[in-house]
């Protein structure tokens, strides 16, 4: 079924950058449903994207044909599963621009990747009195592991403030570097605001004072090209489920020399070379950091999602999302009583806003009644909301399959919420 919401997009998108949205949407079964009697307008892609048929097919095919544990069985299915799993690692490395597949560790997602770095690298390399820098726009996933690490090792966390548009105070960041921090952890793109941080420059500045840099790419990876070699960051994280892939799988990129000097985080099967009564020899990275049976089918389907993205053209998706962002910013900004939160020039396709006098949860509920799915609340960034003096925001976030008509329905539903609740 095609929906009545398949349209061309507005603005200065060059024809060669256009996506065939009808064809894209046909690949997503979840989009073909009614919610409260309305065609679903799924605008909660910063939380998670839907999955195209090739990804779903890969999951089914793996379980139907190749299901076996990896790195263990010498039988045919075990070999097939291992090959596909290791191929997926190579595919992720290629997507992120890593030089070597050995620099890619499969994790449950960004959250687990950051905890791994905090617990393995952080606990062995940081000492009392050391400083860690984060920004005021971090998701809890890139804040709480560092807060805990600070408590555990006696380090201090410093938080770089943002300006009124939701942009980072890079001048303050540069000033904080004067304290010679040991580690900097920054969002490539902030989930609550959409702000894209100048991570290449920030990495360069951090390296100049000897700090190690982790970039949280959970949101950015789907919406902007990533090249860890060009960024020169030490660690980079992403989550497949925001990249049209499955939940429960993501990746940590780490520079080979750093990974080699890190102890395992979790202990168990498949991460050792030898064990006797007194001694353990750990496997080299990445195996050292993948204790236990990994989410094999999900890793393989993650690679399918990256293939799907590449076939469609990441640059074309980015151009399409930029057009949607421009339209949404203008149309929502024109609604009386709507205040946009996060309006920097460098943004991914996220529009956070508040409606005067209305709670974000109530607005999100009225939108859901109209079949429009958005996020309403603190966006897993409570300290940011405190800094902004807001209990939360409503957040609409776009993906390759979204249309201008869906955004117009969002805007109509926001107007309706004002009338209904205002
Ligand atoms: N950081 C950012 C910027 C995010 O958007 C998210 C997901 N909302 C996370 C970290 C956490 O990712 P995950 O839940 O996939 O581990």
């Amino acid at each position: 079924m095609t929906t009545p919401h398949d349209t061309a997009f507005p603005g200065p998108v060059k024809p060669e950058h256009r996506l065939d949205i009808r064809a894209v949407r046909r690949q997503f079964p979840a989009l073909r449903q009614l919610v409260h009697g309305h065609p679903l307008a799924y605008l909660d892609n910063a939380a998670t994207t839907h999955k195209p048929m090739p990804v779903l097919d890969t999951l089914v095919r793996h379980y139907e044909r190749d299901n076996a544990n990896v790195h263990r069985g010498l039988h045919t299915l075990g070999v097939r599963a291992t090959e596909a799993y290791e191929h997926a690692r190579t595919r992720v490395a290629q997507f992120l621009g890593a030089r070597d597949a050995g620099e890619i560790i499969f994790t449950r997602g960004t959250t687990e990747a950051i905890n791994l770095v905090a617990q393995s690298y952080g606990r062995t390399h940081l000492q009392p009195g050391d400083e860690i820098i984060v920004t005021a726009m971090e998701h809890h996933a890139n804040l709480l592991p560092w807060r805990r690490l600070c408590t555990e090792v006696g380090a201090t966390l410093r938080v770089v403030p943002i300006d009124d548009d939701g942009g980072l105070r890079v001048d303050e960041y540069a000033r904080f570097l004067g304290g010679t921090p040991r580690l900097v952890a920054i969002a490539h793109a902030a989930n609550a605001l959409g702000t894209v941080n100048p991570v290449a420059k920030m990495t360069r500045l951090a390296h100049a004072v000897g700090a190690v840099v982790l970039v949280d790419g959970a949101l950015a990876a789907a919406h902007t090209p990533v090249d860890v070699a060009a960024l020169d960051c030490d660690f980079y994280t992403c989550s497949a489920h925001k990249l049209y892939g499955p939940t429960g799988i993501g990746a940590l990129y780490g520079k080979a020399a750093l990974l080699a000097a890190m102890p395992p985080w979790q202990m168990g099967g498949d991460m050792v070379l030898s064990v006797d009564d007194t001694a353990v020899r750990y496997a080299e990275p990445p195996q050292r950091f993948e204790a236990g049976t990994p989410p094999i089918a999900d890793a393989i389907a993650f690679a399918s999602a990256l293939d799907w993205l590449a076939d469609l053209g990441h640059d074309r998706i980015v151009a399409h999302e930029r057009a949607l962002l421009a339209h949404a910013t203008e149309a929502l900004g024109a609604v009386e009583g709507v205040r946009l939160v996060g309006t920097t020039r460098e943004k991914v396709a996220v529009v956070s806003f508040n409606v005067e006098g209305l709670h974000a949860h109530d607005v999100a509920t009225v939108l859901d009644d109209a079949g429009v799915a958005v996020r309403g609340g603190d966006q897993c960034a409570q300290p940011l909301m405190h800094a902004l003096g807001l209990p939360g925001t409503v957040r609409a976030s776009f993906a390759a399959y979204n249309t201008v008509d869906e955004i117009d329905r969002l805007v109509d539903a926001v107007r309706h919420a004002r009338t209904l609740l205002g």
Side-chain angles (χ1 to χ4, degrees):
M1 174 186 133
T2 53
T3 75
H5 306 289
D6 301 332
T7 59
F9 30 68
V13 179
K14 294 192 183 127
E16 66 269 25
H17 282 153
R18 294 196 173 182
L19 292 176
D20 179 352
I21 299 296
R22 276 174 209 277
V24 172
R25 290 181 72 90
R26 271 199 294 276
Q27 298 187 54
F28 289 84
L31 298 178
R32 288 179 227 141
Q33 59 182 301
L34 300 180
V35 171
H36 301 302
H38 303 279
L40 169 64
Y42 186 83
L43 304 179
D44 194 16
N45 297 288
T48 197
T49 57
H50 283 289
K51 325 300 173 198
M53 276 315 294
V55 171
L56 303 179
D57 286 344
T58 299
L59 287 169
V60 171
R61 207 170 46 242
H62 172 79
Y63 285 118
E64 278 181 352
R65 212 185 51 188
D66 299 334
N67 177 50
N69 216 322
V70 289
H71 306 143
R72 294 163 171 79
L74 293 176
H75 56 77
T76 302
L77 270 58
V79 172
R80 271 196 230 141
T82 303
E83 279 176 4
Y85 181 72
E86 290 305 326
H87 167 77
R89 194 190 305 283
T90 304
R91 186 67 189 85
V92 174
Q94 185 195 20
F95 173 73
L96 292 177
R99 288 191 182 92
D100 193 306
E103 295 179 313
I104 301 298
I105 297 159
F106 281 122
T107 63
R108 220 157 43 76
T110 289
T111 302
E112 190 174 76
I114 297 174
N115 276 280
L116 191 164
V117 176
Q119 290 299 304
S120 171
Y121 180 86
R123 287 189 80 149
T124 50
H125 289 75
L126 272 77
Q127 289 168 0
D130 283 346
E131 288 188 0
I132 298 174
I133 293 184
V134 294
T135 81
M137 63 181 94
E138 299 307 325
H139 187 282
H140 293 161
N142 197 28
L143 173 67
L144 299 181
W146 308 118
R147 285 244 291 248
R148 180 168 76 170
L149 177 64
C150 283
T151 311
E152 287 166 345
V153 302
T156 306
L157 193 71
R158 306 202 63 196
V159 182
V160 185
I162 56 173
D163 62 25
D164 292 344
D165 295 337
L168 192 71
R169 291 281 307 274
V170 180
D171 55 334
E172 283 293 289
Y173 172 69
R175 201 170 63 78
F176 281 19
L177 290 176
T180 55
R182 296 296 307 280
L183 197 142
V184 170
I186 38 177
H188 193 172
N191 66 305
L193 305 172
T195 306
V196 176
N197 286 314
V199 284
K201 177 179 173 189
M202 292 172 75
T203 299
R204 213 169 46 245
L205 293 173
H207 283 169
V209 299
V212 160
V213 178
L214 177 140
V215 178
D216 167 358
L219 181 63
H223 304 285
T224 188
V226 178
D227 182 348
V228 290
L231 291 179
D232 195 32
C233 57
D234 300 289
F235 299 104
Y236 194 95
T237 67
C238 65
S239 300
H241 70 94
K242 293 179 201 274
L243 276 160
Y244 309 96
T247 52
I249 184 81
L252 168 67
Y253 157 81
K255 280 185 182 163
L258 287 172
L259 294 179
M262 285 163 53
W265 174 37
Q266 293 177 336
M267 310 290 273
D270 208 28
M271 46 77 75
V272 289
L273 295 175
S274 65
V275 185
D276 63 23
D277 286 348
T278 54
V280 184
R281 278 178 60 227
Y282 300 121
E284 294 297 315
Q287 263 72 41
R288 186 187 299 168
F289 303 105
E290 292 182 7
T293 300
I296 301 162
D298 304 297
I300 297 166
F302 184 7
S304 283
L306 298 179
D307 287 343
W308 179 85
L309 202 78
D311 285 350
L312 206 59
H314 205 169
D315 51 347
R316 290 204 282 160
I317 296 176
V318 171
H320 173 60
E321 290 178 351
R322 284 221 174 104
L324 294 177
L325 177 65
H327 181 67
T329 304
E330 195 183 322
L332 273 172
V335 177
E336 211 185 319
V338 166
R339 185 188 148 213
L340 301 178
V341 183
T343 50
T344 44
R345 262 171 57 82
E346 286 301 316
K347 279 186 68 173
V348 291
V350 166
V351 183
S352 254
F353 61 96
N354 271 303
V355 186
E356 199 178 10
L358 305 187
H359 194 285
H361 284 170
D362 296 334
V363 177
T365 305
V366 173
L367 298 192
D368 182 55
D369 284 342
V372 179
V374 295
R375 171 111 188 242
D378 62 35
Q379 317 297 350
C380 291
Q382 287 183 16
L384 170 65
M385 294 301 153
H386 297 156
L388 295 169
L390 299 170
T393 62
V394 184
R395 183 188 68 187
S397 48
F398 315 123
Y401 41 68
N402 289 127
T403 66
V404 168
D405 275 3
E406 288 179 321
I407 292 172
D408 291 342
R409 284 178 57 205
L410 161 74
V411 174
D412 286 347
V414 169
R415 285 211 176 86
H416 179 61
R418 280 200 80 217
T419 318
L420 197 70
L421 307 169

